[in-house]
Amino acid sequence: MSRFFSSKYKSLEAYTPGEQPRDMKYIKLNTNESPYPPSENVTRAVKAESERLNLYSDPESRDLTQVIADRYSVGYENVLMTNGSDEILNFAFMAFCDSQKGIAFPNISYGFYPVFAQLNGLPFKEIPLAEDFSINVEDYCNIGMNIVIANPNAPTGLALSLDDIEKIVASNPDSVVIIDEAYVDFGADSAVGLTKKYDNLLVTQTFSKSRSLAGARLGYCIGDEKLINDLNTIKYSTNPYNINRMTSAAGIAAIESDKYYMDNCKKIAETRAYTKSELERLGFTVLDSKSNFLFAKPDKIGGGEYYLTLKKMGILVRHFDKELIKDYVRITVGTPEQMKALIEATEKILGGN
């Protein structure tokens, strides 16, 4: 770091995104992108909007916001669009947390949670998962802190029930509970309906996974009107034109193509089941994922060695160095052909051990 870097950030451990190597052509199963392209409707909409890039985008994203509100049967005033769901998470940490009111989250979850807490100088608590990597709901009841939980969780893929989520929200009436639903469309139940009952619940979602728009950077949250107003205060104080024209057009077209994307989610769930079965046949321990990835542990080779060997063979998966999960890898569910290639490569690797 330079000698000008602020001392308040010197101990910050930045988030590490999934690698994007260019030394060869890989089967990319490491960043939980959709293996299926955007709909043709999206492609046409983006192309048309590209001709208007000389004009600022709508800071309210009014058309897109209304489309989302209609899709989830909530009010316009209950929706905020953001530059990826990461932006809404950061906004929420800024808006609802301070030195007196920190935030709690699982010790094994999305790596950005501790980063956002450190970035904003916030006290935070990492709550251990159970031995089976599940979230113990009782650990979050009456906790007296704000809470953020990914549901399904990452990198485990395990999901909480709506009853469990409601129990957490109801027991913390004076704290904001954020449910991060980046992967909800692949098999979990959304908590959006509960936002009509609880004014302290904020649900975030993204177009990156189930709607094939990871490269467009589009996310949103749904919650009580007053929560949305608070978040808008942060947004208009940092990045008022946060959704560009082409991304907004892509988002509207994606919602209009909803059946195409939900059908893709079903295909991914079917491929996930096939891959889980095949990995278990090969001796892997595989968690019961409700997301578009699998969290798996080989029994004949270490997680790090498995990841590196696959990489040499042209297949990328995600490995984490954290002690509790170092024996596991996270495998994005790709097309059936990609997953068959993974299984064949794995058979070759294990055949040599």
Side-chain angles (χ1 to χ4, degrees), residues 272-281 286-288 294:
R272 180 183 68 207
Y274 157 79
T275 307
K276 182 176 187 292
S277 176
E278 287 294 286
L279 288 173
E280 289 175 337
R281 175 179 63 83
V286 188
L287 273 60
D288 186 20
L294 291 168

Side-chain angles (χ1 to χ4, degrees), residues 85-93 110 113 116 148 178 180 204:
S85 58
D86 289 337
E87 184 175 60
I88 197 62
L89 291 169
N90 193 30
F91 284 173
F93 276 52
Y110 185 31
Y113 300 155
F116 284 143
V148 59
I178 306 164
D180 181 357
T204 71

Side-chain angles (χ1 to χ4, degrees), residues 265-275:
C265 288
K266 292 176 183 177
K267 288 193 288 187
I268 288 170
E270 292 170 357
T271 307
R272 180 183 68 207
Y274 157 79
T275 307

